[in-house]
Amino acid sequence: MARPSDHVDGARLWRRLMDLSRFGARADGGVDRQTLTQAEIAARAHLVALGRSLGLDPYTDEGANLFLRCPGRRPDLPAVLAGSHIDSQPMGGRFDGAFGVMAAFEAVEAIRAAGLVPERAIEIVAFTNEEGCRFSPGMTGSDLFTGVRTLAEVAGIRDAAGIAQGDALAAVLASDRDVPQRPFRRPVAAFVEPHIEQGPILERDGIPIGVVTGIQGTRRYRVTVTGEAAHAGTAERRERRDALMAAVRMIAAIDRAAADPADTKLTVGMIEVTPNAPSVVPAEVLFSIDLRHPDNAVVDRLDAEIRAIVEAERGPCAASLRQIQHNPSLTFSPALRAAIATAAGALGLPHRDILSAAGHDARQLHAVCPTGMIFVPCRDGVSHNPAEWAEPDDLAAGARVLADVMWHLATGDEVRAVAS
């Protein structure tokens, strides 16, 4: 039987990735294609046009998730999905998310080039707002698709300019041309998400394929410290309610608490100071906390410590902590992981198990269908950065594995074995 991987064209995959990177291109070679912006709207139209040129049927939903369907022999069967996202960080790279979507295009085209017609449909998907940099938290599209959140819960979230996410979604959907909408929570047979590793392990070990075992747990918070504005030259220190000094004490104490165990990931990536004037005692500070670890018990223990620290270090100020996201660690389907490893082995591609330290839409899909991820190396593990880079040969290898896995999942019997 023809093997889809034999028809994967690495040069074509690379060209399409570079074409996609033109939307939101930065002068430094990176990408600024934040969710639900004009740059993403243009990229979305580009994908619809590409899909139609290949005979794929586009559709969307109220969350602006974009699907491109390759029909199967049995339209009554749930489809298998492959893809990722196309939104980026403000100073993002060309491969994060985008590789997963374009690899899915390449897998579908390879299956067709091999003269194969799947039993069940294969759908390429680009989920909305995976990154969460414009509207926080992220994973909006996959949350809505799987029912984790509702439109009413996310519509009122505003970006830094005050634009509501619901209005931005409406603008994107209004820009679609003859793209029908379908409901959320459609049955899915399986989901595979290819992605660059965003870490150094595969490159360091010289291994082109990572079989992702699961995703480490995370909690995200917003802390608001409220003090009182005062004159920097006249207000006595003992009388001040300095919100920034209280926030600094909290951050330093939280950093010390998260030092054990050593593989804990703690990030305070956002601080907003009001009024943010050099000669005024800060009246209010808002800061973020991003906490991650593979062991749920570690994350839960640090959650309790963070809450205690915020209260203990607030001094004369008021403080509130709001948890905006909690995702426990998870383990992907063993059968689907085995299918990915088998496909890589059959192609003679070295592979290894690897845990994802970053969050992905696969986390949400894991709750509703057998789910897996394929990692490929990225240079020095750098991501969310214009310097993000992946070698064309590694990207092609990932697409070859994906093509064979998607074909087996779409033949009917294989997906039942994975789901059992």
Side-chain angles (χ1 to χ4, degrees), residues 57 69-77 79 112 117-122 410:
D57 300 320
R69 183 180 176 91
C70 172
R73 299 180 189 277
R74 296 276 308 277
D76 57 308
L77 294 177
R112 287 186 159 183
V117 179
E119 188 76 4
R120 60 181 71 238
I122 298 173

Side-chain angles (χ1 to χ4, degrees), residues 115-148:
L116 301 171
V117 179
E119 188 76 4
R120 60 181 71 238
I122 298 173
E123 294 184 356
I124 302 164
V125 58
F127 286 111
T128 300
N129 189 30
E130 193 271 353
E131 294 291 359
C133 54
R134 183 183 178 197
F135 298 105
S136 185
M139 314 289 178
T140 302
S142 51
D143 272 349
L144 291 171
F145 181 77
T146 58
V148 173

Side-chain angles (χ1 to χ4, degrees), residues 228-367:
E228 183 178 55
H231 194 292
T234 61
E236 298 290 342
R237 290 197 62 179
R238 66 178 178 274
E239 297 174 354
R240 294 183 181 190
R241 295 173 57 210
D242 189 326
L244 182 57
M245 291 302 182
V248 168
R249 291 193 300 270
M250 293 173 190
I251 294 168
I254 292 168
D255 183 48
R256 290 192 294 271
D260 182 24
D263 58 343
T264 302
K265 307 292 193 309
L266 173 74
T267 304
V268 176
M270 178 191 74
I271 300 178
E272 297 178 356
V273 181
T274 303
N276 201 29
S279 297
V280 180
V281 175
E284 184 174 276
V285 173
L286 170 69
F287 67 92
S288 64
I289 302 172
D290 185 311
L291 174 69
R292 309 187 194 210
H293 194 273
D295 187 339
N296 288 323
V298 170
V299 176
D300 293 344
R301 173 179 62 79
L302 287 170
D303 170 70
E305 292 191 33
I306 287 170
R307 294 174 187 273
I309 287 169
V310 168
E311 177 61 25
E313 298 295 344
R314 65 181 180 84
C317 298
S320 65
L321 179 147
R322 179 169 60 97
Q323 180 176 278
I324 64 169
Q325 197 167 36
H326 176 207
N327 296 123
S329 293
L330 61 85
T331 301
F332 287 134
S333 161
L336 193 40
R337 286 157 47 194
I340 294 168
T342 297
L347 292 169
L349 294 169
H351 56 279
R352 58 158 290 172
D353 286 350
I354 186 169
L355 178 72
S356 175
H360 301 281
D361 291 307
R363 175 189 288 283
Q364 275 66 13
L365 273 291
H366 169 75

